[in-house]
Structures are given as structure tokens and as C-alpha cells.
Amino acid sequence: VVSSPVAVGGRFLVGSTDGGLYLIDTDGRVMQRADVAASGVQSSVALGADTAYVGSGDGLHAFRWRT
């Protein structure tokens, strides 16, 4: 993992060099995983109102979530 985690409610989003964006709980359990890019995540996650943004070697990726 090369990115810093970002808090989202009681959970955290973090990107990994394996190309995944992970939502983890406070105990470190993976709640969800989204495939971002085979080249791996190369930036920390930035949050908008309902969208998470993360960069990879392939470009900028946006993920929306529902509350």
C-alpha cells in the first residue's frame, strides 16, 4: 500500500499497488474491493460529496457510492 487511508464514516478507503481500492473497517477487515487498474493505485484517495477519486498509471478513476 502506497496511499494514505481516508476516513469515510466508520470505515476507511485505501488504494493498493495490487490495483485495488479497499473499504476496510476499524478492525482492518476488508468490507469491499473495487478493481482500479492493473498498474496499481499510485495516489491517496480524494473524496467529493459522493465520489472517491484515485490515480493510477492508467489515469484518474472516480467511484460513486450510495448512502
Side-chain angles (χ1 to χ4, degrees):
V1 174
V2 295
S3 72
S4 300
V6 64
V8 180
R11 297 184 177 135
F12 300 90
L13 281 172
V14 63
S16 175
T17 56
D18 72 358
L21 178 63
Y22 293 87
L23 179 66
I24 59 173
D25 66 13
T26 56
D27 292 323
R29 291 183 297 239
V30 175
M31 307 303 292
Q32 291 183 347
R33 181 186 188 280
D35 290 321
V36 176
S39 61
V41 172
Q42 298 176 357
S43 74
S44 295
V45 179
L47 292 179
D50 63 352
T51 307
Y53 302 92
V54 66
S56 76
D58 298 332
L60 180 65
H61 308 270
F63 296 86
R64 291 192 134 179
W65 65 82
R66 295 183 188 138
T67 56

